[in-house]
Amino acid sequence: GIQVEQSPPDLILQEGANSTLRCNFSDSVNNLQWFHQNPWGQLINLFYIPSGTKQNGRLSATTVATERYSLLYISSSQTTDSGVYFCAVMGYSGGGADGLTFGKGTHLIIQP
Amino acid sequence: DAGITQSPRHKVTETGTPVTLRCHQTENHRYMYWYRQDPGHGLRLIHYSYGVKDTDKGEVSDGYSVSRSKTEDFLLTLESATSSQTSVYFCAISAGAEQYFGPGTRLTVT
């Protein structure tokens, strides 16, 4: 099956710093999503981005499908950005009904 | 929040007992999923459903069964719980191309 690797696994930053999280995947995908899991365990949808670039406030994401990677940018970090960021993909083989394959996540800590 | 609820939210059970977790959605989505999350891992797919009475296995389906007799409910059953099934279980739906997740059920098997 498709493999998803995220880097870095851990990241500690001061409030106000910028960060870039990376997601590499091993095959063509028809779905790529970024999630934020907050300290209470809730999974929050950030972006649906199988290709191209999107922005939402201080967050933006870019997926280069031909090179099989996606980047999540967080600017002017706030303590509420802390948590685990997951990249998840779905390949073409499942016909659309299969579930997502998740990376292991990037654990982000923003210190005040 | 895509109208997804899970019950119970927390459960402690003993090895060998049967356990059923419920996922309920209010928006008539066709596709529903069960995942588990363990420390150091992302979420892994257990089973999914593409309609009433239509289900299929995911990556980690051993020891689990599912049922979907109504569009709104997707049940996950551990026939005989084991300690390796201690985990956080998430239900999800597909709304268009995106998946949305419920709040999770923390299950501890002692």
Side-chain angles (χ1 to χ4, degrees):
Chain A
I2 199 165
Q3 305 298 313
V4 181
E5 293 185 2
Q6 292 187 241
S7 60
D10 301 282
L11 188 56
I12 301 174
L13 298 171
Q14 295 297 122
E15 204 167 18
N18 301 328
S19 58
T20 301
L21 283 56
R22 187 177 180 102
C23 171
N24 292 333
F25 44 95
S26 61
D27 205 348
S28 299
V29 298
N30 62 7
N31 182 351
L32 188 147
Q33 293 183 243
W34 283 97
F35 297 91
H36 174 214
Q37 187 169 40
N38 64 23
W40 296 271
Q42 183 183 8
L43 282 161
I44 299 163
N45 288 46
L46 297 178
F47 293 102
Y48 165 74
I49 188 165
S51 63
T53 297
K54 290 185 177 180
Q55 180 159 7
N56 184 4
R58 296 181 295 105
L59 274 61
S60 63
T62 295
T63 298
V64 183
T66 53
E67 298 186 21
R68 298 182 184 166
Y69 73 88
S70 184
L71 302 174
L72 177 68
Y73 305 97
I74 305 173
S75 64
S76 304
S77 298
Q78 300 175 357
T79 56
T80 52
D81 294 331
S82 296
V84 183
Y85 289 80
F86 288 107
C87 170
V89 305
M90 184 185 299
Y92 282 96
S93 60
D98 285 1
L100 294 168
T101 299
F102 280 73
K104 293 186 177 181
T106 292
H107 186 197
L108 177 63
I109 296 174
I110 304 299
Q111 297 178 332
Chain B
D1 64 359
I4 307 167
T5 57
Q6 294 185 230
S7 58
R9 295 292 313 280
H10 302 271
K11 186 170 182 67
V12 179
T13 192
E14 293 185 346
T15 297
T17 60
V19 177
T20 295
L21 308 182
R22 180 181 183 236
C23 177
H24 180 78
Q25 54 124 340
T26 60
E27 298 181 0
N28 250 7
H29 297 291
R30 178 181 174 189
Y31 297 110
M32 299 184 74
Y33 309 82
W34 277 107
Y35 294 82
R36 61 178 286 173
Q37 184 179 25
D38 303 295
H41 291 82
L43 280 69
R44 292 180 292 173
L45 182 67
I46 305 172
H47 280 279
Y48 63 95
S49 170
Y50 44 97
V52 172
K53 295 191 165 83
D54 291 325
T55 65
D56 207 345
K57 297 179 179 181
E59 177 189 359
V60 290
S61 59
D62 287 349
Y64 301 95
S65 62
V66 291
S67 65
R68 192 164 178 207
S69 58
K70 299 185 289 185
T71 299
E72 57 265 36
D73 289 326
F74 191 31
L75 304 180
L76 177 71
T77 297
L78 291 65
E79 301 289 349
S80 177
T82 68
S83 59
S84 64
Q85 293 176 312
T86 291
S87 189
V88 180
Y89 291 86
F90 286 94
C91 173
I93 59 92
S94 278
E98 285 189 68
Q99 289 193 21
Y100 293 85
F101 287 79
T105 293
R106 183 173 296 276
L107 176 67
T108 302
V109 183
T110 60

